[in-house]
CSV table of all heavy atoms in Angstrom, one decimal:
chain,number,residue,atom,x,y,z
A,300,ILE,N,91.1,-54.9,79.7
A,300,ILE,CA,91.6,-53.8,79.0
A,300,ILE,C,92.4,-53.0,80.0
A,300,ILE,O,91.9,-52.7,81.1
A,300,ILE,CB,90.5,-52.9,78.5
A,300,ILE,CG1,89.6,-53.7,77.5
A,300,ILE,CG2,91.0,-51.7,77.7
A,300,ILE,CD1,88.4,-52.9,77.1
A,301,GLY,N,93.6,-52.7,79.7
A,301,GLY,CA,94.5,-51.9,80.6
A,301,GLY,C,94.0,-50.4,80.6
A,301,GLY,O,93.2,-50.0,79.8
A,302,HIS,N,94.6,-49.7,81.5
A,302,HIS,CA,94.3,-48.3,81.7
A,302,HIS,C,94.5,-47.5,80.4
A,302,HIS,O,93.6,-46.6,80.0
A,302,HIS,CB,95.1,-47.6,82.8
A,302,HIS,CG,94.9,-46.2,83.0
A,302,HIS,ND1,93.7,-45.8,83.5
A,302,HIS,CD2,95.6,-45.1,82.7
A,302,HIS,CE1,93.7,-44.4,83.6
A,302,HIS,NE2,94.8,-44.0,83.1
A,303,ASN,N,95.6,-47.7,79.6
A,303,ASN,CA,95.8,-47.0,78.4
A,303,ASN,C,94.8,-47.3,77.3
A,303,ASN,O,94.3,-46.5,76.6
A,303,ASN,CB,97.2,-47.3,77.8
A,303,ASN,CG,98.3,-46.7,78.6
A,303,ASN,OD1,98.0,-45.7,79.4
A,303,ASN,ND2,99.5,-47.2,78.5
A,304,GLY,N,94.3,-48.6,77.3
A,304,GLY,CA,93.3,-49.0,76.3
A,304,GLY,C,92.0,-48.4,76.6
A,304,GLY,O,91.3,-47.9,75.7
A,305,VAL,N,91.6,-48.4,77.9
A,305,VAL,CA,90.4,-47.7,78.3
A,305,VAL,C,90.4,-46.3,78.0
A,305,VAL,O,89.4,-45.7,77.4
A,305,VAL,CB,90.1,-47.9,79.8
A,305,VAL,CG1,88.9,-47.1,80.3
A,305,VAL,CG2,89.8,-49.4,80.1
A,306,GLU,N,91.5,-45.6,78.3
A,306,GLU,CA,91.6,-44.2,78.0
A,306,GLU,C,91.4,-43.9,76.5
A,306,GLU,O,90.7,-43.0,76.1
A,306,GLU,CB,92.9,-43.6,78.6
A,306,GLU,CG,93.0,-42.1,78.5
A,306,GLU,CD,94.3,-41.7,79.2
A,306,GLU,OE1,94.6,-42.1,80.3
A,306,GLU,OE2,95.0,-40.9,78.5
A,307,LYS,N,92.1,-44.7,75.7
A,307,LYS,CA,92.1,-44.5,74.3
A,307,LYS,C,90.7,-44.7,73.7
A,307,LYS,O,90.2,-43.9,72.9
A,307,LYS,CB,93.1,-45.5,73.6
A,307,LYS,CG,93.2,-45.4,72.1
A,307,LYS,CD,94.1,-44.2,71.7
A,307,LYS,CE,94.4,-44.3,70.3
A,307,LYS,NZ,95.0,-43.2,69.7
A,308,LEU,N,90.0,-45.8,74.2
A,308,LEU,CA,88.7,-46.0,73.7
A,308,LEU,C,87.7,-45.0,74.2
A,308,LEU,O,86.8,-44.6,73.4
A,308,LEU,CB,88.2,-47.4,74.2
A,308,LEU,CG,88.8,-48.6,73.5
A,308,LEU,CD1,88.5,-49.9,74.1
A,308,LEU,CD2,88.4,-48.7,72.0
A,309,GLN,N,87.9,-44.5,75.4
A,309,GLN,CA,87.0,-43.4,75.9
A,309,GLN,C,87.2,-42.1,75.1
A,309,GLN,O,86.2,-41.4,74.8
A,309,GLN,CB,87.1,-43.2,77.4
A,309,GLN,CG,86.5,-44.3,78.2
A,309,GLN,CD,86.6,-44.0,79.7
A,309,GLN,OE1,87.6,-43.4,80.1
A,309,GLN,NE2,85.7,-44.6,80.4
A,310,ILE,N,88.4,-41.8,74.7
A,310,ILE,CA,88.6,-40.6,73.9
A,310,ILE,C,88.0,-40.8,72.5
A,310,ILE,O,87.3,-39.8,72.0
A,310,ILE,CB,90.2,-40.4,73.7
A,310,ILE,CG1,90.8,-39.9,75.1
A,310,ILE,CG2,90.4,-39.3,72.6
A,310,ILE,CD1,92.3,-39.9,75.1
A,311,LEU,N,88.1,-42.0,71.9
A,311,LEU,CA,87.6,-42.2,70.6
A,311,LEU,C,86.1,-42.4,70.6
A,311,LEU,O,85.4,-41.9,69.7
A,311,LEU,CB,88.3,-43.4,69.9
A,311,LEU,CG,89.8,-43.2,69.6
A,311,LEU,CD1,90.3,-44.6,69.2
A,311,LEU,CD2,90.0,-42.2,68.6
A,312,PHE,N,85.6,-43.2,71.5
A,312,PHE,CA,84.1,-43.6,71.5
A,312,PHE,C,83.5,-43.5,72.8
A,312,PHE,O,82.5,-44.3,73.1
A,312,PHE,CB,84.1,-45.1,71.0
A,312,PHE,CG,84.6,-45.3,69.6
A,312,PHE,CD1,85.8,-45.9,69.4
A,312,PHE,CD2,83.9,-44.9,68.5
A,312,PHE,CE1,86.4,-46.1,68.2
A,312,PHE,CE2,84.4,-45.1,67.2
A,312,PHE,CZ,85.7,-45.7,67.1
A,313,GLY,N,83.9,-42.6,73.7
A,313,GLY,CA,83.4,-42.5,75.0
A,313,GLY,C,82.0,-42.0,75.1
A,313,GLY,O,81.2,-42.2,76.1
A,314,SER,N,81.5,-41.2,74.1
A,314,SER,CA,80.2,-40.7,74.0
A,314,SER,C,79.7,-40.7,72.6
A,314,SER,O,80.5,-40.9,71.7
A,314,SER,CB,80.1,-39.3,74.6
A,314,SER,OG,80.8,-38.4,73.7
A,315,THR,N,78.4,-40.5,72.4
A,315,THR,CA,77.9,-40.5,71.0
A,315,THR,C,78.6,-39.4,70.2
A,315,THR,O,79.0,-39.6,69.0
A,315,THR,CB,76.4,-40.3,71.0
A,315,THR,OG1,75.8,-41.3,71.8
A,315,THR,CG2,75.9,-40.4,69.6
A,316,GLN,N,78.8,-38.2,70.8
A,316,GLN,CA,79.5,-37.1,70.1
A,316,GLN,C,80.9,-37.4,69.8
A,316,GLN,O,81.4,-37.1,68.7
A,316,GLN,CB,79.4,-35.8,71.0
A,316,GLN,CG,78.1,-35.2,71.2
A,316,GLN,CD,77.3,-35.9,72.3
A,316,GLN,OE1,77.8,-36.8,73.0
A,316,GLN,NE2,76.1,-35.4,72.5
A,317,ALA,N,81.6,-38.1,70.7
A,317,ALA,CA,83.0,-38.5,70.5
A,317,ALA,C,83.1,-39.5,69.3
A,317,ALA,O,83.9,-39.4,68.5
A,317,ALA,CB,83.7,-39.0,71.7
A,318,SER,N,82.1,-40.4,69.4
A,318,SER,CA,82.1,-41.5,68.3
A,318,SER,C,81.8,-40.8,67.0
A,318,SER,O,82.4,-41.2,66.0
A,318,SER,CB,81.0,-42.5,68.6
A,318,SER,OG,81.3,-43.2,69.8
A,319,LEU,N,80.9,-39.9,66.9
A,319,LEU,CA,80.5,-39.2,65.7
A,319,LEU,C,81.7,-38.4,65.1
A,319,LEU,O,82.1,-38.5,63.9
A,319,LEU,CB,79.4,-38.3,65.9
A,319,LEU,CG,78.6,-37.7,64.7
A,319,LEU,CD1,78.1,-38.9,63.8
A,319,LEU,CD2,77.5,-36.9,65.1
A,320,LEU,N,82.4,-37.8,66.0
A,320,LEU,CA,83.6,-37.0,65.6
A,320,LEU,C,84.7,-38.0,65.1
A,320,LEU,O,85.4,-37.7,64.1
A,320,LEU,CB,84.1,-36.2,66.8
A,320,LEU,CG,85.3,-35.3,66.5
A,320,LEU,CD1,85.0,-34.2,65.5
A,320,LEU,CD2,85.8,-34.6,67.8
A,321,THR,N,84.9,-39.1,65.8
A,321,THR,CA,85.9,-40.1,65.4
A,321,THR,C,85.6,-40.6,64.0
A,321,THR,O,86.4,-40.8,63.1
A,321,THR,CB,86.0,-41.2,66.4
A,321,THR,OG1,86.4,-40.7,67.7
A,321,THR,CG2,87.0,-42.3,66.0
A,322,LEU,N,84.3,-40.9,63.7
A,322,LEU,CA,83.9,-41.4,62.4
A,322,LEU,C,84.1,-40.4,61.3
A,322,LEU,O,84.5,-40.8,60.2
A,322,LEU,CB,82.4,-41.9,62.5
A,322,LEU,CG,82.1,-43.1,63.3
A,322,LEU,CD1,80.6,-43.3,63.4
A,322,LEU,CD2,82.8,-44.3,62.8
A,323,ILE,N,83.9,-39.2,61.6
A,323,ILE,CA,84.1,-38.1,60.6
A,323,ILE,C,85.7,-38.0,60.4
A,323,ILE,O,86.1,-37.9,59.2
A,323,ILE,CB,83.6,-36.7,61.1
A,323,ILE,CG1,82.0,-36.8,61.0
A,323,ILE,CG2,84.1,-35.6,60.2
A,323,ILE,CD1,81.3,-35.6,61.7
A,324,LYS,N,86.4,-38.0,61.5
A,324,LYS,CA,87.9,-37.8,61.3
A,324,LYS,C,88.5,-39.0,60.5
A,324,LYS,O,89.4,-38.8,59.8
A,324,LYS,CB,88.5,-37.8,62.7
A,324,LYS,CG,88.4,-36.5,63.4
A,324,LYS,CD,89.1,-36.6,64.8
A,324,LYS,CE,89.1,-35.3,65.6
A,324,LYS,NZ,89.7,-35.5,66.9
A,325,VAL,N,88.0,-40.2,60.8
A,325,VAL,CA,88.6,-41.4,60.2
A,325,VAL,C,88.4,-41.4,58.6
A,325,VAL,O,89.2,-41.8,57.9
A,325,VAL,CB,87.9,-42.6,60.8
A,325,VAL,CG1,87.2,-43.5,59.8
A,325,VAL,CG2,88.9,-43.4,61.5
A,326,VAL,N,87.3,-40.7,58.2
A,326,VAL,CA,87.0,-40.7,56.7
A,326,VAL,C,87.7,-39.5,56.1
A,326,VAL,O,88.1,-39.5,55.0
A,326,VAL,CB,85.5,-40.6,56.5
A,326,VAL,CG1,85.2,-40.3,55.1
A,326,VAL,CG2,84.8,-41.9,56.9
A,327,SER,N,87.8,-38.4,56.8
A,327,SER,CA,88.3,-37.2,56.3
A,327,SER,C,89.8,-37.0,56.4
A,327,SER,O,90.4,-36.0,56.0
A,327,SER,CB,87.6,-35.9,56.9
A,327,SER,OG,87.9,-35.9,58.3
Side-chain angles (χ1 to χ4, degrees):
I300 303 172
H302 178 70
N303 288 341
V305 170
E306 189 176 310
K307 181 81 169 171
L308 285 171
Q309 283 183 332
I310 290 171
L311 295 172
F312 300 105
S314 68
T315 306
Q316 293 84 0
S318 295
L319 194 58
L320 183 62
T321 299
L322 292 175
I323 291 170
K324 284 180 178 180
V325 122
V326 171
S327 63

